[in-house]
Amino acid sequence: LFPAGATLALTVVVADEIAGPDPLLFGGHHRPGSKAAVDAAATMLRLGVLYPDGTKVTNLPGRASQQLPQAVLMPNRGGGGGGRWSQELWLWPLPPPGRVTVVCEWLDAAIAETRTDIDATLLCDAAARAREYFPDERPEAPPADEPNGWSQYS
């Protein structure tokens, strides 16, 4: 949990490793609006968040937009094997206080839409207590006139 957003951790465990989940069950990396993105949306594990103000965000591939989104649910690190797969998703911004609904559906595994309500006030209160661990250990910004920028400091 961070002051501006939260990481959601999603884990799938199956009993039958041979018929285990597709490595792209959380969605692949496809060009928004492409046939591959549409096909992936039909088989992937779908996750969505409904904010108290009605804002919706999902992990479904969407159309490219020139406008900034109101909210994002963006895949982060993940992986797996042996019948167990995990995926972290970045949820931004934190929802305002009130009821947040998390929705999950995975048609390929015969899991119908399931909804769980969460009190976002608890998330907001926890985010307000978030602290930076190492505030004095940030690298200095490189001079603006250097062509290599941050890469020379990594």
Side-chain angles (χ1 to χ4, degrees):
L1 188 61
F2 300 87
T7 298
L8 304 180
L10 181 61
T11 301
V12 172
V13 179
V14 296
D16 184 1
E17 290 183 31
I18 295 171
D22 184 319
L24 297 178
L25 73 100
F26 297 112
H29 299 282
H30 306 288
R31 184 172 38 85
S34 69
K35 181 178 180 330
V38 171
D39 291 346
T43 60
M44 67 186 278
L45 191 154
R46 303 173 187 188
L47 188 70
V49 178
L50 175 63
Y51 284 60
D53 65 2
T55 299
K56 295 178 188 176
V57 63
T58 73
N59 68 332
L60 294 174
R63 296 189 180 275
S65 172
Q66 299 301 318
Q67 298 177 349
L68 291 175
Q70 289 181 306
V72 295
L73 185 61
M74 183 171 48
N76 204 345
R77 63 182 172 200
R84 179 183 169 95
W85 295 86
S86 63
Q87 176 74 58
E88 288 187 358
L89 299 119
W90 174 246
L91 176 66
W92 174 91
L94 277 179
R99 186 182 79 203
V100 171
T101 303
V102 178
V103 182
C104 180
E105 177 183 57
W106 190 13
L107 299 177
D108 268 9
I111 297 173
E113 181 178 294
T114 304
R115 294 172 170 258
T116 300
D117 291 332
I118 298 171
D119 182 359
T121 304
L122 300 172
L123 295 174
C124 295
D125 291 347
R129 294 188 305 271
R131 299 290 179 255
E132 192 171 359
Y133 281 111
F134 305 106
D136 298 331
E137 294 185 18
R138 291 187 197 166
E140 291 184 26
D145 60 346
E146 287 189 24
N148 292 332
W150 285 99
S151 64
Q152 77 183 53
Y153 292 93
S154 56

